[in-house]
Amino acid sequence: MMRSTLASVVAVALLSGCDSSKDYEGTTGTIPFEPQRPSSGAPATVAPYTGSDPLVLEAQTRLPTGLDLQRKVVLRTCGPTNGVCHNQKEYPDLHTAGTFTASINAPCNLQPGTYASVYDRCERLGDRFKLKEQSFREIEIGWYEVVLGAYVEYEDDEVPPSDAAGLHLYLRDPVPLDKGRAHWGTANFLRNFINAQDNVETLSVANYNTRWWVLGDGRHLFGEVRDYQRDSVEALQAIGIIEGDQNRNGTFGAREGKSTPLLNPGKPEESYLVARVRGHMQGERIPGSRMPLANQPLSVPDMLALMCFIEGLDPNANEWNLSSSIDYAGCSYSANPQALNVVGAGVTWRERVWPILQSNCGGCHGGSNAQMGLDLTASDAYQRLRAASVQSPNLKLVDPGRLEQSYLWLKLAGDGSIVGSRMPVDPLDGTRTLPPDQLESIQTWILAGALEVE
Ligand code: HEC
Protein backbone atom coordinates (compact mmCIF):
# COMPACT_ATOMS: atom_id res chain seq x y z
CA MET A 1 0.00 0.00 0.00
CA MET A 2 0.93 3.63 0.05
CA ARG A 3 3.85 4.99 1.94
CA SER A 4 2.86 7.95 3.99
CA THR A 5 6.23 9.63 4.18
CA LEU A 6 6.43 10.47 0.50
CA ALA A 7 8.01 13.82 0.11
CA SER A 8 7.58 15.79 -3.05
CA VAL A 9 9.74 18.77 -3.61
CA VAL A 10 9.91 21.18 -6.46
CA ALA A 11 13.11 23.10 -6.39
CA VAL A 12 13.85 25.97 -8.68
CA ALA A 13 17.56 26.15 -9.20
CA LEU A 14 17.97 28.52 -12.08
CA LEU A 15 21.12 30.08 -10.78
CA SER A 16 22.80 27.50 -8.61
CA GLY A 17 24.16 24.50 -10.37
CA CYS A 18 23.02 21.37 -8.66
CA ASP A 19 23.41 18.14 -10.54
CA SER A 20 25.38 19.39 -13.47
CA SER A 21 25.47 16.55 -15.97
CA LYS A 22 27.34 17.12 -19.17
CA ASP A 23 27.18 13.64 -20.60
CA TYR A 24 23.95 14.13 -22.50
CA GLU A 25 24.31 13.07 -26.09
CA GLY A 26 22.20 13.86 -29.07
CA THR A 27 21.58 17.47 -28.19
CA THR A 28 21.65 19.44 -31.40
CA GLY A 29 20.47 22.84 -32.46
CA THR A 30 20.77 26.10 -30.65
CA ILE A 31 20.14 26.80 -27.05
CA PRO A 32 17.58 29.52 -26.60
CA PHE A 33 18.35 32.44 -24.37
CA GLU A 34 17.10 35.97 -23.84
CA PRO A 35 18.14 38.39 -26.54
CA GLN A 36 20.11 41.47 -25.64
CA ARG A 37 18.35 44.77 -25.10
CA PRO A 38 18.42 47.26 -27.96
CA SER A 39 21.27 49.66 -28.10
CA SER A 40 20.94 53.38 -28.46
CA GLY A 41 24.26 53.76 -30.26
CA ALA A 42 24.66 55.89 -33.37
CA PRO A 43 22.32 54.86 -36.19
CA ALA A 44 23.96 53.57 -39.35
CA THR A 45 23.44 55.49 -42.58
CA VAL A 46 23.47 53.84 -45.98
CA ALA A 47 23.58 55.01 -49.57
CA PRO A 48 20.03 55.65 -50.79
CA TYR A 49 18.28 53.77 -53.58
CA THR A 50 18.63 55.77 -56.78
CA GLY A 51 16.74 53.47 -59.16
CA SER A 52 13.33 54.21 -60.64
CA ASP A 53 11.01 51.49 -59.29
CA PRO A 54 8.12 53.46 -57.78
CA LEU A 55 7.43 50.77 -55.17
CA VAL A 56 10.99 50.96 -53.84
CA LEU A 57 10.89 54.75 -53.93
CA GLU A 58 7.62 54.77 -52.02
CA ALA A 59 9.05 52.44 -49.38
CA GLN A 60 12.19 54.53 -49.05
CA THR A 61 10.20 57.74 -48.63
CA ARG A 62 7.52 56.46 -46.30
CA LEU A 63 9.52 53.87 -44.37
CA PRO A 64 13.15 55.04 -44.26
CA THR A 65 14.12 53.37 -40.95
CA GLY A 66 13.26 50.39 -38.77
CA LEU A 67 11.50 52.76 -36.44
CA ASP A 68 9.15 53.87 -39.22
CA LEU A 69 8.52 50.24 -40.05
CA GLN A 70 7.56 49.52 -36.45
CA ARG A 71 5.35 52.61 -36.10
CA LYS A 72 3.63 52.65 -39.46
CA VAL A 73 3.41 48.98 -40.42
CA VAL A 74 3.87 46.66 -37.48
CA LEU A 75 1.84 48.74 -35.08
CA ARG A 76 -0.98 49.00 -37.61
CA THR A 77 -1.19 45.22 -37.84
CA CYS A 78 -1.73 45.24 -34.09
CA GLY A 79 -4.92 47.23 -34.68
CA PRO A 80 -6.06 50.54 -33.26
CA THR A 81 -6.53 49.09 -29.78
CA ASN A 82 -3.73 46.58 -30.08
CA GLY A 83 -6.56 44.14 -30.62
CA VAL A 84 -4.86 41.47 -32.65
CA CYS A 85 -1.60 41.57 -30.76
CA HIS A 86 -3.31 41.18 -27.44
CA ASN A 87 -6.32 39.00 -28.15
CA GLN A 88 -4.41 36.33 -29.95
CA LYS A 89 -1.90 34.89 -27.58
CA GLU A 90 0.23 33.31 -30.26
CA TYR A 91 1.06 36.70 -31.67
CA PRO A 92 4.12 38.26 -30.15
CA ASP A 93 3.85 41.62 -28.46
CA LEU A 94 5.28 44.04 -31.00
CA HIS A 95 3.54 47.23 -30.07
CA THR A 96 6.55 49.19 -28.84
CA ALA A 97 9.88 49.84 -30.48
CA GLY A 98 11.52 48.00 -27.59
CA THR A 99 9.47 44.84 -27.90
CA PHE A 100 9.94 44.92 -31.67
CA THR A 101 13.72 45.04 -31.30
CA ALA A 102 13.55 42.33 -28.66
CA SER A 103 11.84 40.07 -31.19
CA ILE A 104 15.08 39.90 -33.17
CA ASN A 105 16.46 36.42 -32.53
CA ALA A 106 13.73 35.73 -29.98
CA PRO A 107 11.89 32.40 -30.01
CA CYS A 108 8.43 32.36 -31.53
CA ASN A 109 5.18 30.83 -30.26
CA LEU A 110 6.11 31.29 -26.63
CA GLN A 111 2.49 31.71 -25.62
CA PRO A 112 0.44 29.75 -28.09
CA GLY A 113 -3.34 29.82 -27.83
CA THR A 114 -3.41 26.06 -28.25
CA TYR A 115 -0.61 23.56 -28.62
CA ALA A 116 -1.75 22.70 -32.13
CA SER A 117 -1.04 26.26 -33.28
CA VAL A 118 2.67 25.90 -32.61
CA TYR A 119 4.90 25.66 -35.68
CA ASP A 120 7.57 22.93 -35.62
CA ARG A 121 10.26 25.46 -36.38
CA CYS A 122 9.31 27.44 -33.27
CA GLU A 123 9.86 24.46 -31.00
CA ARG A 124 12.83 24.67 -28.68
CA LEU A 125 15.00 21.98 -27.22
CA GLY A 126 12.92 20.35 -24.53
CA ASP A 127 13.90 20.03 -20.91
CA ARG A 128 15.18 16.57 -20.01
CA PHE A 129 13.89 14.08 -17.57
CA LYS A 130 15.57 11.46 -15.45
CA LEU A 131 14.89 9.56 -12.27
CA LYS A 132 17.58 10.19 -9.69
CA GLU A 133 17.40 6.67 -8.32
CA GLN A 134 17.78 5.06 -11.76
CA SER A 135 20.80 4.88 -14.01
CA PHE A 136 19.16 5.46 -17.41
CA ARG A 137 20.27 8.54 -19.29
CA GLU A 138 18.32 11.79 -19.47
CA ILE A 139 15.46 11.79 -21.95
CA GLU A 140 14.05 14.87 -23.69
CA ILE A 141 10.49 15.80 -22.80
CA GLY A 142 8.18 16.05 -25.81
CA TRP A 143 5.20 17.39 -23.91
CA TYR A 144 3.41 16.97 -20.66
CA GLU A 145 -0.10 17.22 -19.40
CA VAL A 146 -1.69 17.34 -15.99
CA VAL A 147 -4.94 15.39 -16.14
CA LEU A 148 -7.30 16.79 -13.54
CA GLY A 149 -9.60 14.60 -11.53
CA ALA A 150 -10.08 12.93 -8.20
CA TYR A 151 -7.09 10.98 -6.93
CA VAL A 152 -7.33 7.25 -7.53
CA GLU A 153 -4.99 4.97 -5.65
CA TYR A 154 -3.33 2.30 -7.78
CA GLU A 155 -1.48 -0.68 -6.34
CA ASP A 156 2.23 -1.01 -7.12
CA ASP A 157 1.55 -3.91 -9.46
CA GLU A 158 -1.50 -2.38 -11.07
CA VAL A 159 -1.21 -0.37 -14.32
CA PRO A 160 -3.17 2.91 -14.36
CA PRO A 161 -5.16 3.81 -17.49
CA SER A 162 -3.45 6.08 -20.00
CA ASP A 163 -5.69 9.00 -19.04
CA ALA A 164 -5.49 8.59 -15.27
CA ALA A 165 -5.70 11.78 -13.22
CA GLY A 166 -2.13 12.90 -12.54
CA LEU A 167 1.02 13.98 -14.34
CA HIS A 168 1.69 12.57 -17.81
CA LEU A 169 5.04 13.00 -19.52
CA TYR A 170 5.52 12.11 -23.17
CA LEU A 171 9.20 11.53 -23.84
CA ARG A 172 11.34 11.33 -26.92
CA ASP A 173 12.77 7.88 -26.12
CA PRO A 174 11.36 4.95 -24.21
CA VAL A 175 12.12 4.67 -20.51
CA PRO A 176 14.06 1.43 -19.92
CA LEU A 177 12.07 0.35 -16.88
CA ASP A 178 9.65 -2.50 -16.20
CA LYS A 179 6.16 -1.57 -17.40
CA GLY A 180 4.21 -3.82 -15.11
CA ARG A 181 4.69 -1.98 -11.83
CA ALA A 182 5.24 1.35 -10.12
CA HIS A 183 8.73 2.83 -9.71
CA TRP A 184 9.25 5.10 -6.78
CA GLY A 185 11.60 7.96 -7.57
CA THR A 186 12.57 11.61 -7.80
CA ALA A 187 12.09 13.08 -11.22
CA ASN A 188 14.76 15.55 -12.15
CA PHE A 189 13.96 18.15 -14.82
CA LEU A 190 17.12 19.41 -16.50
CA ARG A 191 17.79 22.38 -18.75
CA ASN A 192 20.79 23.88 -20.52
CA PHE A 193 21.91 27.40 -19.72
CA ILE A 194 24.67 29.67 -20.91
CA ASN A 195 26.69 30.77 -17.90
CA ALA A 196 28.58 34.01 -17.42
CA GLN A 197 31.65 32.49 -19.08
CA ASP A 198 29.55 31.63 -22.16
CA ASN A 199 29.72 27.92 -21.41
CA VAL A 200 26.76 25.60 -21.63
CA GLU A 201 25.75 24.29 -18.26
CA THR A 202 23.08 21.79 -17.34
CA LEU A 203 20.98 22.71 -14.37
CA SER A 204 18.16 21.05 -12.57
CA VAL A 205 15.08 23.29 -12.78
CA ALA A 206 12.73 21.10 -10.77
CA ASN A 207 12.31 17.87 -8.87
CA TYR A 208 9.19 15.83 -8.30
CA ASN A 209 9.12 12.86 -6.03
CA THR A 210 6.37 10.29 -6.58
CA ARG A 211 5.46 6.85 -7.96
CA TRP A 212 5.92 6.48 -11.71
CA TRP A 213 4.51 4.02 -14.21
CA VAL A 214 5.78 3.40 -17.71
CA LEU A 215 2.84 3.18 -20.13
CA GLY A 216 2.20 2.41 -23.79
CA ASP A 217 5.32 2.10 -25.92
CA GLY A 218 7.54 3.16 -23.02
CA ARG A 219 7.65 6.84 -23.89
CA HIS A 220 4.62 7.70 -21.83
CA LEU A 221 5.31 8.14 -18.14
CA PHE A 222 2.60 8.57 -15.57
CA GLY A 223 3.39 10.26 -12.26
CA GLU A 224 1.00 9.93 -9.37
CA VAL A 225 -0.37 13.17 -7.88
CA ARG A 226 -1.88 12.72 -4.44
CA ASP A 227 -3.87 15.57 -2.95
CA TYR A 228 -0.97 16.87 -0.89
CA GLN A 229 1.25 16.85 -4.00
CA ARG A 230 -0.96 19.15 -6.06
CA ASP A 231 0.92 22.27 -5.03
CA SER A 232 4.17 20.72 -6.16
CA VAL A 233 2.72 19.93 -9.56
CA GLU A 234 1.32 23.43 -9.88
CA ALA A 235 4.77 24.80 -9.09
CA LEU A 236 6.19 22.51 -11.74
CA GLN A 237 3.75 23.96 -14.28
CA ALA A 238 4.56 27.49 -13.17
CA ILE A 239 8.24 26.95 -13.94
CA GLY A 240 7.25 26.28 -17.52
CA ILE A 241 8.83 22.97 -18.42
CA ILE A 242 10.08 23.41 -21.99
CA GLU A 243 8.47 20.92 -24.36
CA GLY A 244 10.55 19.69 -27.31
CA ASP A 245 7.45 18.60 -29.24
CA GLN A 246 5.12 21.32 -28.08
CA ASN A 247 2.58 20.76 -30.84
CA ARG A 248 2.53 16.99 -30.16
CA ASN A 249 2.96 15.99 -33.78
CA GLY A 250 5.98 13.71 -33.27
CA THR A 251 8.52 16.15 -34.72
CA PHE A 252 10.99 17.71 -32.30
CA GLY A 253 11.45 20.98 -34.19
CA ALA A 254 14.70 22.15 -32.62
CA ARG A 255 16.37 18.83 -33.38
CA GLU A 256 15.70 19.24 -37.07
CA GLY A 257 18.17 22.12 -36.80
CA LYS A 258 15.75 24.52 -38.48
CA SER A 259 14.56 26.60 -35.53
CA THR A 260 13.50 30.05 -36.59
CA PRO A 261 13.18 33.14 -34.43
CA LEU A 262 10.55 35.85 -34.81
CA LEU A 263 12.96 38.02 -36.75
CA ASN A 264 16.02 36.26 -38.12
CA PRO A 265 18.82 38.77 -38.79
CA GLY A 266 19.88 38.55 -42.44
CA LYS A 267 17.27 35.90 -43.22
CA PRO A 268 13.81 37.28 -43.96
CA GLU A 269 12.70 34.02 -45.58
CA GLU A 270 13.32 32.25 -42.29
CA SER A 271 11.67 34.74 -39.99
CA TYR A 272 8.49 33.59 -38.30
CA LEU A 273 6.92 37.04 -38.45
CA VAL A 274 7.24 37.12 -42.24
CA ALA A 275 5.85 33.59 -42.43
CA ARG A 276 2.82 34.59 -40.40
CA VAL A 277 2.10 37.41 -42.82
CA ARG A 278 2.52 35.11 -45.81
CA GLY A 279 0.95 31.99 -44.34
CA HIS A 280 3.93 29.83 -45.25
CA MET A 281 7.68 29.52 -44.80
CA GLN A 282 9.87 28.27 -47.61
CA GLY A 283 6.92 26.54 -49.21
CA GLU A 284 5.68 24.96 -45.99
CA ARG A 285 2.29 25.99 -44.60
CA ILE A 286 2.43 27.22 -41.05
CA PRO A 287 -0.35 26.66 -38.55
CA GLY A 288 -2.67 29.46 -37.54
CA SER A 289 -4.38 32.15 -39.52
CA ARG A 290 -2.49 34.72 -41.50
CA MET A 291 -1.58 37.97 -39.88
CA PRO A 292 -2.85 40.67 -39.85
CA LEU A 293 -6.21 39.22 -39.11
CA ALA A 294 -8.52 42.18 -38.99
CA ASN A 295 -6.59 45.05 -40.48
CA GLN A 296 -5.41 46.41 -43.73
CA PRO A 297 -3.08 43.82 -45.26
CA LEU A 298 0.54 44.72 -45.89
CA SER A 299 1.12 46.51 -49.19
CA VAL A 300 4.10 45.79 -51.41
CA PRO A 301 6.13 48.75 -50.04
CA ASP A 302 5.27 47.60 -46.48
CA MET A 303 6.53 44.12 -47.25
CA LEU A 304 9.61 45.49 -48.98
CA ALA A 305 10.48 47.54 -45.90
CA LEU A 306 10.04 44.51 -43.65
CA MET A 307 12.14 42.24 -45.85
CA CYS A 308 14.91 44.78 -46.43
CA PHE A 309 14.98 45.68 -42.75
CA ILE A 310 15.49 42.03 -41.75
CA GLU A 311 17.94 41.37 -44.56
CA GLY A 312 20.02 44.33 -43.40
CA LEU A 313 20.29 43.19 -39.78
CA ASP A 314 23.77 41.93 -38.98
CA PRO A 315 23.48 38.32 -37.82
CA ASN A 316 26.68 38.63 -35.81
CA ALA A 317 25.55 41.65 -33.83
CA ASN A 318 23.64 41.42 -30.62
CA GLU A 319 22.43 45.00 -30.60
CA TRP A 320 20.45 46.68 -33.35
CA ASN A 321 19.49 50.30 -33.78
CA LEU A 322 15.98 50.84 -35.12
CA SER A 323 16.86 54.37 -36.20
CA SER A 324 19.31 53.08 -38.80
CA SER A 325 18.28 53.59 -42.40
CA ILE A 326 16.93 50.57 -44.22
CA ASP A 327 19.33 49.73 -47.05
CA TYR A 328 16.98 49.67 -50.05
CA ALA A 329 19.86 50.10 -52.50
CA GLY A 330 21.65 46.99 -51.26
CA CYS A 331 18.49 44.95 -50.62
CA SER A 332 17.99 41.91 -52.83
CA TYR A 333 14.19 42.37 -52.83
CA SER A 334 14.42 45.81 -54.45
CA ALA A 335 15.07 44.10 -57.79
CA ASN A 336 11.52 42.70 -57.94
CA PRO A 337 9.29 44.09 -55.20
CA GLN A 338 6.10 42.91 -56.96
CA ALA A 339 7.04 39.36 -56.00
CA LEU A 340 6.43 40.31 -52.37
CA ASN A 341 2.72 40.91 -52.92
CA VAL A 342 0.85 39.12 -50.14
CA VAL A 343 -2.57 40.63 -50.66
CA GLY A 344 -4.81 37.83 -51.72
CA ALA A 345 -1.88 35.43 -52.01
CA GLY A 346 -3.21 31.90 -51.81
CA VAL A 347 -6.75 33.19 -51.36
CA THR A 348 -8.20 32.59 -54.80
CA TRP A 349 -11.80 32.05 -55.79
CA ARG A 350 -11.28 28.54 -57.04
CA GLU A 351 -8.80 27.23 -54.47
CA ARG A 352 -10.14 28.80 -51.34
CA VAL A 353 -13.30 30.93 -51.49
CA TRP A 354 -15.59 28.78 -53.60
CA PRO A 355 -14.84 25.59 -51.65
CA ILE A 356 -15.70 27.42 -48.40
CA LEU A 357 -19.03 28.58 -49.86
CA GLN A 358 -19.83 25.18 -51.36
CA SER A 359 -19.25 23.26 -48.17
CA ASN A 360 -20.84 25.72 -45.74
CA CYS A 361 -23.69 27.12 -47.79
CA GLY A 362 -24.42 24.60 -50.53
CA GLY A 363 -26.97 22.72 -48.45
CA CYS A 364 -29.41 25.62 -48.62
CA HIS A 365 -27.94 27.66 -51.45
CA GLY A 366 -27.63 24.86 -53.97
CA GLY A 367 -29.70 22.96 -56.49
CA SER A 368 -33.13 23.82 -57.83
CA ASN A 369 -34.51 25.02 -54.47
CA ALA A 370 -31.65 27.33 -53.59
CA GLN A 371 -32.68 29.86 -50.91
CA MET A 372 -33.36 33.32 -52.38
CA GLY A 373 -32.41 31.95 -55.77
CA LEU A 374 -28.77 32.09 -54.68
CA ASP A 375 -27.08 28.91 -55.93
CA LEU A 376 -23.49 28.92 -54.71
CA THR A 377 -22.75 25.49 -56.14
CA ALA A 378 -23.64 26.25 -59.77
CA SER A 379 -20.93 26.88 -62.33
CA ASP A 380 -22.04 30.53 -62.62
CA ALA A 381 -21.81 31.12 -58.85
CA TYR A 382 -19.08 33.71 -59.33
CA GLN A 383 -21.16 35.77 -61.78
CA ARG A 384 -24.15 35.51 -59.44
CA LEU A 385 -22.11 37.01 -56.59
CA ARG A 386 -21.17 39.99 -58.70
CA ALA A 387 -24.87 40.82 -59.15
CA ALA A 388 -27.24 42.64 -56.79
CA SER A 389 -28.62 41.18 -53.60
CA VAL A 390 -32.32 40.31 -53.47
CA GLN A 391 -32.74 41.43 -49.88
CA SER A 392 -30.83 44.66 -50.31
CA PRO A 393 -31.00 45.50 -54.02
CA ASN A 394 -28.84 48.60 -53.67
CA LEU A 395 -25.88 46.44 -52.81
CA LYS A 396 -24.07 43.83 -54.79
CA LEU A 397 -23.46 40.51 -53.09
CA VAL A 398 -19.75 41.11 -53.67
CA ASP A 399 -18.34 44.53 -54.55
CA PRO A 400 -14.61 44.15 -55.25
CA GLY A 401 -12.41 45.98 -52.75
CA ARG A 402 -15.41 47.26 -50.74
CA LEU A 403 -16.25 45.07 -47.82
CA GLU A 404 -19.03 47.19 -46.37
CA GLN A 405 -20.73 47.42 -49.78
CA SER A 406 -20.67 43.63 -50.22
CA TYR A 407 -23.95 42.22 -48.95
CA LEU A 408 -22.62 38.66 -48.78
CA TRP A 409 -19.94 39.89 -46.39
CA LEU A 410 -22.48 41.80 -44.29
CA LYS A 411 -24.56 38.61 -44.01
CA LEU A 412 -21.47 36.64 -42.93
CA ALA A 413 -20.36 39.27 -40.45
CA GLY A 414 -23.85 39.62 -38.96
CA ASP A 415 -23.89 43.35 -39.68
CA GLY A 416 -26.73 45.27 -38.03
CA SER A 417 -28.09 46.41 -41.40
CA ILE A 418 -28.95 42.98 -42.82
CA VAL A 419 -32.41 41.61 -43.50
CA GLY A 420 -32.97 38.13 -42.02
CA SER A 421 -30.31 36.08 -40.26
CA ARG A 422 -26.57 36.08 -40.11
CA MET A 423 -25.18 33.40 -42.43
CA PRO A 424 -24.67 30.51 -42.38
CA VAL A 425 -27.96 29.59 -40.75
CA ASP A 426 -27.53 26.56 -38.54
CA PRO A 427 -30.55 24.33 -39.07
CA LEU A 428 -30.27 23.06 -35.49
CA ASP A 429 -30.05 26.15 -33.31
CA GLY A 430 -29.69 29.03 -35.74
CA THR A 431 -26.37 30.24 -34.37
CA ARG A 432 -23.25 29.53 -36.32
CA THR A 433 -20.54 31.62 -37.88
CA LEU A 434 -17.74 30.66 -40.20
CA PRO A 435 -14.45 30.01 -38.39
CA PRO A 436 -12.10 33.05 -38.29
CA ASP A 437 -9.66 31.75 -40.88
CA GLN A 438 -12.47 31.23 -43.43
CA LEU A 439 -13.96 34.65 -42.73
CA GLU A 440 -10.50 36.11 -43.08
CA SER A 441 -10.01 34.43 -46.44
CA ILE A 442 -13.30 35.76 -47.82
CA GLN A 443 -12.47 39.20 -46.46
CA THR A 444 -9.01 39.17 -48.01
CA TRP A 445 -10.40 37.96 -51.31
CA ILE A 446 -12.97 40.75 -51.48
CA LEU A 447 -10.44 43.41 -50.43
CA ALA A 448 -7.93 42.18 -52.98
CA GLY A 449 -10.42 42.68 -55.81
CA ALA A 450 -12.56 39.50 -55.69
CA LEU A 451 -10.91 38.06 -58.77
CA GLU A 452 -12.25 34.90 -60.36
CA VAL A 453 -8.86 33.74 -61.47
CA GLU A 454 -5.48 33.43 -59.73
C1 HEC B 1 -29.66 26.25 -43.29
C2 HEC B 1 -29.85 26.97 -44.51
C3 HEC B 1 -28.86 28.04 -44.91
C4 HEC B 1 -27.51 27.97 -44.92
C5 HEC B 1 -26.62 26.81 -44.48
C6 HEC B 1 -27.04 29.21 -45.46
N1 HEC B 1 -28.09 30.02 -45.78
FE1 HEC B 1 -28.00 31.88 -46.61
N2 HEC B 1 -29.99 32.02 -46.52
C7 HEC B 1 -30.84 31.06 -46.02
C8 HEC B 1 -32.20 31.62 -45.95
C9 HEC B 1 -33.42 30.85 -45.42
C10 HEC B 1 -32.12 32.93 -46.44
C11 HEC B 1 -33.25 33.96 -46.49
C12 HEC B 1 -33.62 34.38 -45.07
C13 HEC B 1 -32.54 35.14 -44.35
O1 HEC B 1 -31.82 35.90 -44.97
O2 HEC B 1 -32.43 34.97 -43.14
C14 HEC B 1 -30.73 33.15 -46.81
C15 HEC B 1 -30.25 34.32 -47.38
C16 HEC B 1 -28.95 34.54 -47.75
C17 HEC B 1 -28.45 35.71 -48.45
C18 HEC B 1 -29.25 36.86 -48.98
C19 HEC B 1 -29.37 36.70 -50.47
C20 HEC B 1 -29.71 37.98 -51.20
O3 HEC B 1 -29.67 37.93 -52.45
O4 HEC B 1 -30.00 38.98 -50.56
C21 HEC B 1 -27.12 35.54 -48.58
C22 HEC B 1 -26.12 36.52 -49.24
C23 HEC B 1 -26.77 34.29 -47.99
N3 HEC B 1 -27.91 33.70 -47.50
C24 HEC B 1 -25.48 33.81 -47.93
C25 HEC B 1 -25.16 32.59 -47.34
C26 HEC B 1 -23.80 32.12 -47.24
C27 HEC B 1 -22.58 32.84 -47.79
C28 HEC B 1 -23.87 30.94 -46.59
C29 HEC B 1 -22.73 30.04 -46.21
C30 HEC B 1 -21.63 30.63 -45.46
C31 HEC B 1 -25.25 30.67 -46.28
N4 HEC B 1 -25.99 31.70 -46.74
C32 HEC B 1 -25.70 29.52 -45.64
C33 HEC B 1 -30.52 29.80 -45.62
C34 HEC B 1 -29.24 29.34 -45.45
Side-chain angles (χ1 to χ4, degrees):
M1 285 298 277
M2 294 294 99
R3 275 160 280 205
S4 59
T5 54
L6 308 189
S8 55
V9 181
V10 174
V12 186
L14 295 176
L15 298 169
S16 61
C18 55
D19 199 41
S20 172
S21 3
K22 297 207 166 80
D23 63 341
Y24 184 68
E25 284 175 6
T27 303
T28 59
T30 54
I31 294 126
F33 54 93
E34 287 299 304
Q36 307 277 343
R37 288 278 121 198
S39 118
S40 52
T45 45
V46 295
Y49 172 81
T50 52
S52 58
D53 190 315
L55 292 165
V56 184
L57 291 169
E58 184 193 331
Q60 182 165 263
T61 309
R62 190 162 52 84
L63 304 164
T65 69
L67 211 53
D68 295 291
L69 174 69
Q70 192 274 332
R71 285 188 190 145
K72 297 176 191 165
V73 178
V74 176
L75 198 55
R76 192 188 74 219
T77 68
C78 294
T81 54
N82 288 331
V84 174
C85 291
H86 287 250
N87 293 345
Q88 304 276 327
K89 275 192 173 167
E90 74 259 41
Y91 294 136
D93 180 356
L94 302 171
H95 72 286
T96 69
T99 53
F100 183 57
T101 318
S103 69
I104 300 170
N105 265 338
C108 43
N109 283 166
L110 279 185
Q111 288 188 295
T114 63
Y115 68 80
S117 63
V118 173
Y119 181 40
D120 280 334
R121 293 178 72 171
C122 293
E123 286 173 347
R124 298 179 291 159
L125 278 183
D127 287 338
R128 283 133 27 216
F129 167 91
K130 74 173 190 182
L131 282 180
K132 269 189 181 164
E133 295 77 1
Q134 304 286 346
S135 59
F136 66 85
R137 86 170 42 250
E138 304 160 12
I139 305 177
E140 186 176 348
I141 297 168
W143 47 283
Y144 76 96
E145 194 167 37
V146 178
V147 175
L148 301 172
Y151 170 70
V152 177
E153 182 171 320
Y154 300 101
E155 301 294 333
D156 270 349
D157 57 0
E158 197 182 347
V159 179
S162 62
D163 59 351
L167 174 62
H168 294 260
L169 297 175
Y170 297 82
L171 306 173
R172 185 160 184 269
D173 305 309
V175 180
L177 293 178
D178 183 3
K179 290 187 187 172
R181 63 182 179 84
H183 302 272
W184 169 248
T186 308
N188 221 200
F189 297 88
L190 304 164
R191 185 177 302 174
N192 282 354
F193 284 91
I194 311 249
N195 68 16
Q197 286 74 44
D198 270 354
N199 294 321
V200 177
E201 225 179 297
T202 298
L203 299 176
S204 167
V205 290
N207 293 318
Y208 182 59
N209 200 351
T210 196
R211 287 195 304 163
W212 300 91
W213 281 267
V214 182
L215 305 178
D217 64 359
R219 294 185 295 169
H220 179 176
L221 214 62
F222 171 66
E224 176 175 63
V225 183
R226 304 186 123 215
D227 289 342
Y228 73 90
Q229 294 173 300
R230 280 178 203 267
D231 285 354
S232 306
V233 170
E234 268 172 31
L236 196 70
Q237 289 174 284
I239 286 165
I241 300 296
I242 300 177
E243 302 170 308
D245 180 17
Q246 206 181 351
N247 61 17
R248 310 183 185 181
N249 70 355
T251 299
F252 284 64
R255 286 185 181 274
E256 309 275 304
K258 295 198 294 185
S259 295
T260 45
L262 282 166
L263 291 181
N264 201 346
K267 294 182 177 170
E269 300 294 332
E270 293 173 56
S271 294
Y272 180 72
L273 196 69
V274 171
R276 272 315 279 269
V277 172
R278 288 175 157 172
H280 58 86
M281 183 183 289
Q282 297 180 317
E284 189 178 85
R285 273 200 83 79
I286 64 163
S289 55
R290 282 173 59 205
M291 210 167 58
L293 198 69
N295 305 290
Q296 210 182 334
L298 269 64
S299 67
V300 169
D302 290 348
M303 275 303 282
L304 184 66
L306 180 62
M307 302 305 267
C308 294
F309 169 73
I310 301 173
E311 194 178 76
L313 294 170
D314 177 0
N316 299 315
N318 49 27
E319 302 185 333
W320 296 272
N321 192 322
L322 279 194
S323 310
S324 297
S325 303
I326 298 176
D327 184 5
Y328 291 102
C331 175
S332 66
Y333 296 93
S334 295
N336 183 15
Q338 285 283 4
L340 295 175
N341 183 20
V342 286
V343 178
V347 188
T348 60
W349 164 253
R350 241 159 243 288
E351 298 266 313
R352 181 81 177 128
V353 178
W354 202 12
I356 293 173
L357 298 179
Q358 284 173 321
S359 57
N360 290 285
C361 326
C364 302
H365 296 283
S368 48
N369 282 328
Q371 292 290 344
M372 314 270 339
L374 178 59
D375 185 348
L376 293 170
T377 62
S379 58
D380 67 347
Y382 177 81
Q383 280 72 26
R384 179 69 188 79
L385 288 182
R386 300 297 300 276
S389 142
V390 173
Q391 289 181 344
S392 184
N394 291 334
L395 297 180
K396 289 180 177 165
L397 287 170
V398 169
D399 195 346
R402 302 167 76 196
L403 220 42
E404 63 297 337
Q405 304 295 319
S406 300
Y407 193 66
L408 175 110
W409 174 256
L410 300 178
K411 289 286 270 184
L412 288 173
D415 189 80
S417 67
I418 59 171
V419 178
S421 318
R422 180 173 186 173
M423 292 292 138
V425 171
D426 186 323
L428 292 180
D429 65 0
T431 53
R432 191 166 90 85
T433 56
L434 290 183
D437 65 314
Q438 298 191 355
L439 279 176
E440 186 204 355
S441 289
I442 293 173
Q443 185 190 53
T444 304
W445 174 72
I446 294 175
L447 284 173
L451 302 175
E452 186 180 15
V453 289
E454 192 69 35

